[in-house]
Amino acid sequence: MTTTLPSRPVRGPVTLQGRLTSELAKLHAAGLHISPRVLEAPQRARTRILGHEVVNLASNNYLGFADHPFVKERAAQYLHAWGAGAGAVRTIAGTLSIHEDLETQLAAFKHTGSALVLQSGFTTNQGVLGTLLQEGDLVVSDELNHASIIDGLRLAKATKKVFRHKDMADLRRVLSENPTEGLILVVTDGVFSMDGDIAPLGEIVGIAREYGAVTYVDDAHGSGVLGEQGRGTVHHFGLQDAGDVLQIGTLSKAWGVVGGYAAGPTELRDLLINRARPFLFSTGHPPAVVGALSAAIELVQQDPSFMERLWANTRFFKAELNRLGFDTFGSETPITPVIFGEAETAFEASRRLLSLGVFAVGLGFPTVPKGLARIRNIVTAEHTQEDLEIALSAYQMVGREMGTIA
Ligand SMILES: *Cc1c(COP(=O)(O)O)cnc(C)c1O
């Protein structure tokens, strides 16, 4: 069947093409236009870009699980046993027993009463913040929190306030200036994704408690990295049994696959199942994802060498960068920024590193503050000494050429 449509008026509203070209032109003019690099081989410590093998310092694949044989094997088993897709949203007919098994495994790992797995870390923040917060509540958020927290808070009708990054006096000020009878939530990343520093959770929870507030930790970059067996930032600070700390996180960084989770009291899971909109209106994970995740969480507990290698590599790489004279901005985790100053300089350094076989991405404003443009490196358990030495000599060459180091 064909439909005859009227032609567009000559003058009138903005056309699709008009909107697309004007928005792209703005990005180009501001020097903010990006196009992703394409990996021509699997996500590993060495991969291929533009036909060349490169040392990969750009992924979040902390433990090397994205392409690990044990993880892939379980994904394949679940694919064959359970099929390619969940077939429905979880609340209608898409909850398979393997979904619930994974949630039980996660809750045990996190020492929480329950865990719920959502489609991604991004949608988890939307789902949980959107569900928990109501009008009359107060939410206090670290200024450097992740974009998905910021977007999640846009969905919430609560009063929203920001405190200066890790500034405990400022957190206290905001809490004391905004008394409320509603729920008070103090929201922080466990590990901050741009600087690689760790939230002072012990202090945050202490201050939150004084004001009757609950602490909400997004542990995307902490789980699989910090705490005994990679249980995350909350465990790193020994707060796993605090009743007033909520953890959310992602299954797409150290766990190497995709997904998000919220871990807390059993009632949290129950309420989210009933109210969290991304959970209610979007299909559950395919079995292969569930299988891979169950294997990943098992593997980190069975074999301590993943985390040992991750941290040995992290310490070596950071110390060597500092010895060469680079500023790693006080990073405390495998996220290792190297500060270049202006965005153009960081982007140019990233291009030069790539030409020397090192893949590491430059980040500028608005992702990081003006004047603090950087290359963000993420060291993984999979990198060999040789990989890191190749990267360090490339850094030394580029840093000298560009006048960043002497
Ligand atoms: C990456 C990240 C997310 C998003 O996780 P995805 O699973 O990739 O959607 C959320 N919060 C923080 C702090 C992150 O770093």
Side-chain angles (χ1 to χ4, degrees), residues 279-360:
F279 185 82
L280 281 163
F281 296 108
S282 185
T283 297
H285 280 155
V289 165
V290 179
L293 288 169
S294 79
I297 296 166
E298 209 172 289
L299 196 52
V300 78
Q301 293 173 82
Q302 273 173 13
D303 184 350
S305 73
F306 289 97
M307 285 186 66
E308 283 161 14
R309 284 198 303 277
L310 172 65
W311 280 97
N313 284 345
T314 296
R315 280 188 291 270
F316 171 74
F317 191 63
K318 220 185 295 275
E320 289 300 297
L321 282 170
N322 293 149
R323 200 176 56 79
L324 291 172
F326 288 106
D327 175 8
T328 54
F329 212 60
S331 155
E332 304 167 86
T333 64
I335 299 174
T336 310
V338 170
I339 303 289
F340 283 92
E342 294 315 309
E344 261 321 306
T345 319
F347 297 156
E348 174 61 19
S350 167
R351 279 190 292 272
R352 291 190 191 195
L353 285 169
L354 189 63
S355 74
L356 297 172
V358 177
F359 176 38

Side-chain angles (χ1 to χ4, degrees), residues 387-398:
D387 293 335
L388 298 179
E389 276 164 11
I390 290 171
L392 287 162
S393 50
Y395 258 103
Q396 181 172 32
M397 193 175 295
V398 171

Side-chain angles (χ1 to χ4, degrees), residues 12-241:
V14 172
T15 61
L16 172 61
Q17 202 56 38
R19 172 57 49 83
L20 298 174
T21 38
S22 74
E23 287 305 302
L24 285 168
K26 280 188 219 164
L27 287 169
H28 283 291
L32 296 173
H33 181 268
I34 52 166
S35 17
R37 299 271 181 208
V38 177
L39 274 60
E40 294 148 6
Q43 182 60 260
R44 291 194 194 123
R46 295 248 188 141
T47 185
R48 198 166 51 241
I49 291 179
L50 298 169
H52 296 286
E53 191 181 61
V54 294
V55 173
N56 177 7
L57 291 171
S59 83
N60 300 308
N61 185 24
Y62 290 103
L63 300 172
F65 287 172
D67 192 51
H68 193 282
F70 182 76
V71 173
K72 290 196 289 186
E73 178 59 34
R74 184 83 58 85
Q77 274 171 20
Y78 277 39
L79 169 71
H80 290 298
W82 288 91
V89 300
R90 292 275 308 270
T91 46
I92 295 185
T95 296
L96 308 174
S97 62
I98 50 174
H99 287 120
E100 296 210 324
D101 294 344
L102 175 64
E103 287 164 346
T104 307
Q105 185 186 5
L106 258 173
F109 182 66
K110 289 282 179 184
H111 287 201
T112 51
S114 75
L116 185 70
V117 172
L118 292 94
Q119 287 78 1
S120 73
F122 195 100
T123 63
T124 301
N125 273 318
Q126 304 222 312
V128 182
L129 294 167
T131 296
L132 273 184
L133 291 165
Q134 302 176 359
E135 206 159 344
D137 292 345
L138 171 69
V139 55
V140 189
S141 177
D142 186 291
E143 65 180 338
L144 293 191
N145 279 344
H146 190 258
S148 57
I149 292 178
I150 295 167
D151 281 23
L153 291 179
R154 288 194 181 140
L155 298 172
K157 293 192 186 74
T159 304
K160 298 150 206 171
K161 300 285 172 189
V162 169
F163 65 99
R164 283 205 298 274
H165 181 49
K166 296 203 306 188
D167 184 335
M168 295 300 100
D170 203 44
L171 170 61
R172 196 183 279 283
R173 176 190 65 77
V174 175
L175 285 167
S176 64
E177 285 175 3
N178 296 280
T180 170
E181 306 268 277
L183 177 73
I184 308 174
L185 215 56
V186 176
V187 181
T188 183
D189 283 7
V191 172
F192 289 87
S193 51
M194 294 300 144
D195 295 353
D197 54 338
I198 303 173
L201 264 196
E203 288 172 76
I204 292 176
V205 172
I207 294 171
R209 235 171 235 183
E210 282 176 43
Y211 292 86
V214 174
T215 305
Y216 177 107
V217 184
D218 178 342
D219 210 28
H221 286 281
S223 292
V225 174
L226 290 176
E228 183 215 345
Q229 297 182 317
R231 289 169 206 265
T233 312
V234 171
H235 287 252
H236 174 75
F237 285 97
L239 293 164
Q240 59 274 17
D241 298 317

